[in-house]
Amino acid sequence: MTKKLSTNGFSVVEVVVVLFVVAALGVGGFFVWQKAKHNDHKTSDAKTQTDQKTDTSKDNNPEPADPSEGGKYLVIKEWGVRFPLPENMRGDVKYGLRTDSPANQQSASFEVDSLSTLPGSSCNFIEQSDGSGLSGGTGVLLVRSPQPLDASEGVGSGPIYTSKDGKYYYLGTPKYLCASDEETVGAANNALMTGIKSLEELSN
């Protein structure tokens, strides 16, 4: 007689096969999860190290200081000097340089924007036709010379400052009024001259 196979339930072999497949999937999934976790940890460590390097580089390369201290000083960067400005003139003053040959001395003139708008004003810079630079402005001059000067050369009785590299700085008084409003121009020039007398070198 031929035996009939039972169709009710699962045979032992089928159960074992199913359990084996489930176990294999579980073990495989576990290893995949472990590997992903390990990679995430490495990525996190690398990011932390990168962040630390970035922070260190910021510490080693601080932002350069503003020599004008927010406009409190007028900085003549070509000369490496500065002088204080009164609060009402901060951001209102520009300088222009002129080189005088053959003495190789330079002079700085100053232009004040608020004076340039006065009626009949001639307080602006003038470009020299010989290409030596700018002159004019308010009439106040700061002269920089490699050797001492005397009063006959249009400067005061002595230098207001001598730099570490042996340059002499002199204050030249205005020889003209650049606008008809004498009071306003005079006040601006006096403020400039007061500041120039406190001239100082920029710290390295």
Side-chain angles (χ1 to χ4, degrees):
M1 292 181 65
T2 304
K3 288 184 178 180
K4 289 186 178 180
L5 295 174
S6 173
T7 57
N8 296 326
F10 295 100
S11 69
V12 174
V13 174
E14 290 172 328
V15 171
V16 170
V17 169
V18 169
L19 289 176
F20 178 78
V21 170
V22 170
L25 289 174
V27 171
F30 175 77
F31 280 114
V32 170
W33 176 75
Q34 282 288 88
K35 187 173 182 180
K37 182 179 177 184
H38 181 67
N39 287 341
D40 287 346
H41 185 66
K42 285 173 67 176
T43 302
S44 177
D45 286 347
K47 185 178 185 305
T48 301
Q49 290 175 358
T50 302
D51 290 344
Q52 288 174 347
K53 287 180 181 178
T54 302
D55 291 342
T56 303
S57 66
K58 286 181 181 178
D59 292 339
N60 292 337
N61 299 295
E63 289 292 322
D66 172 19
S68 76
E69 296 185 20
K72 292 180 181 178
Y73 291 84
L74 181 68
V75 178
I76 304 178
K77 59 183 180 180
E78 293 86 349
W79 295 354
V81 297
R82 68 179 187 175
F83 63 85
L85 292 171
E87 190 170 353
N88 66 330
M89 293 180 72
R90 292 172 188 173
D92 197 29
V93 183
K94 297 189 286 281
Y95 70 90
L97 299 179
R98 175 183 175 180
T99 301
D100 298 316
S101 300
N104 199 31
Q105 69 185 37
Q106 288 186 310
S107 57
S109 302
F110 304 95
E111 186 177 274
V112 180
D113 289 341
S114 57
L115 297 184
S116 301
T117 60
L118 292 175
S121 172
S122 59
C123 301
N124 298 318
F125 288 134
I126 301 169
E127 181 76 42
Q128 296 299 303
S129 58
D130 59 4
S132 58
L134 298 173
S135 63
T138 68
V140 174
L141 276 182
L142 175 60
V143 179
R144 178 180 185 251
S145 174
Q147 64 274 330
L149 303 174
D150 57 45
S152 65
E153 296 177 87
V155 295
S157 58
I160 58 168
Y161 186 78
T162 304
S163 63
K164 295 173 185 174
D165 62 352
K167 298 296 190 300
Y168 300 88
Y169 292 83
Y170 295 86
L171 177 60
T173 55
K175 297 180 175 60
Y176 62 89
L177 282 173
C178 62
S180 57
D181 188 341
E182 296 184 15
E183 184 176 349
T184 302
V185 174
N189 281 341
N190 287 335
L192 281 173
M193 290 188 291
T194 298
I196 289 171
K197 289 174 183 176
S198 298
L199 189 77
E200 62 185 31
E201 290 182 75
L202 300 178
S203 57
N204 295 326

